[in-house]
Amino acid sequence: MRSFVCSLAVAVACIAGTRTAPAESPSTEDGFVKIFDGESMEGWKLAEENTDAWQVEDGKLVCRGERCHAFYVGPLAPMKDFHFKAEVMTTPGSNAGIYFHTKYQPTGWPKYGYECQVNVSHKDPKKTSSLYAVENVSAEDLAAHGIKDNQWYTQEIIVTGRRIQLIVNGKTMVDYTEPENKEAFDKNFERRLGEGTIALQAHDPKSVCYFRNLRVKPL
């Protein structure tokens, strides 16, 4: 009977899929510091618009609602060279983002820094791990690496000097070196390195995305 119960438990776990997969154990990673405690928004500051778009649920940061950005304002900010890791899960048709080298803004889309796209099946053709509007990842690229909605994936962002690496589940999707003396992209979005913080994006009411195990290693 015990053997049957164990087999049944394994079968149920397989059916449940990766949505319920246990979180990684960042405490074993040398030099990484957790920037989300899994219980509160301590160390984070929300923009002043649509603040109900962000919630903490079961160890996860969840965005669902009108545009609102959550900016990291803890002791590691601002950052210049760093290695960031987070586990991310999208739901069908959802869009979000992870900004870096950015600055707090009470309203609007962040002007400073770059955005690492979070989008598996939203209509925007710039998909997960794109360096948004600079070096983009396609739906075909994601499919080739098995990235799907309703499954956790690990997003890494590494900045060293003028080099930016965006990595998903260990696969490098973007390896970009910013040209010296790069001009601002336009008056609304600079898309340049400097130094700054991390910001997570709540994009729209139909987009629901999850973030957990956020950690940073200064370089």
Side-chain angles (χ1 to χ4, degrees), residues 13-117:
C14 290
I15 292 170
T18 55
R19 184 182 179 91
T20 55
E24 292 181 5
S25 182
S27 61
T28 63
E29 298 175 314
D30 289 343
F32 281 87
V33 179
K34 292 173 64 174
I35 60 172
F36 168 56
D37 64 15
E39 299 177 354
S40 71
M41 295 294 293
E42 182 177 356
W44 294 82
K45 183 177 181 180
L46 295 180
E48 296 175 2
E49 55 185 358
N50 311 309
T51 56
D52 59 351
W54 283 100
Q55 304 293 329
V56 178
E57 299 176 2
D58 300 322
K60 303 181 289 290
L61 273 170
V62 185
C63 60
R64 56 166 76 86
E66 296 283 357
R67 181 183 65 194
C68 183
H69 292 82
F71 294 82
Y72 172 69
V73 292
L76 294 183
M79 293 172 269
K80 191 174 178 75
D81 290 355
F82 65 89
H83 187 167
F84 168 88
K85 291 186 181 184
E87 293 172 74
V88 183
M89 183 166 64
T90 60
T91 57
S94 292
N95 194 329
I98 304 169
Y99 286 82
F100 56 97
H101 276 214
T102 194
K103 302 176 183 179
Y104 178 80
Q105 286 180 212
T107 61
W109 309 105
K111 176 179 179 177
Y112 299 101
Y114 288 94
E115 180 187 0
C116 173
Q117 174 75 309

